[in-house]
Amino acid sequence: MSRYLPLVLLLLSTIAHAATSLRVGNKVLTIGDSAVRVQALMGLPAMRTFLTQETGGMPNNQMARGEQWQYAREGSTVVITIVGGRVANIETLYH
């Protein structure tokens, strides 16, 4: 069983990939950029999902509200999580 673990982990890593930056043309979108910059680089999202996300150090009764914006891009879906008007996470889902 343990000899198959690296293969399983490799397969799972190709399904979704989280990053701290994303190249958009000749520009780069990074964690911490504003939601306005996301729209300037990527345009309007194909889908917006509203969520409540815990952020580090906040008590359970004080949750940060956020959104996940989805963009179709070159055979993949880019999911950008916006919390407090800033990019909190960038994830690429491969089809």
Side-chain angles (χ1 to χ4, degrees):
M1 175 65 185
S2 64
R3 68 181 182 184
Y4 295 110
L5 184 60
L7 179 60
V8 170
L9 292 175
L10 179 63
L11 289 173
L12 289 175
S13 70
T14 61
I15 296 169
H17 175 71
T20 59
S21 65
L22 176 70
R23 178 168 293 284
V24 183
N26 63 353
K27 308 264 188 226
V28 177
L29 180 69
T30 60
I31 290 180
D33 283 350
S34 69
V36 173
R37 179 160 167 81
V38 175
Q39 285 191 350
L41 293 178
M42 304 283 293
L44 293 174
M47 177 181 236
R48 288 173 65 176
T49 305
F50 296 92
L51 52 93
T52 301
Q53 177 178 334
E54 287 186 48
T55 58
M58 294 182 75
N60 289 338
N61 64 347
Q62 295 180 2
M63 307 291 254
R65 300 208 181 274
E67 300 177 35
Q68 285 187 328
W69 295 0
Q70 294 186 17
Y71 296 90
R73 193 174 162 191
E74 300 171 8
S76 63
T77 301
V78 175
V79 180
I80 300 175
T81 304
I82 308 288
V83 176
R86 299 274 171 192
V87 176
N89 190 37
I90 302 169
E91 185 175 12
T92 303
L93 306 173
Y94 295 97
H95 305 290

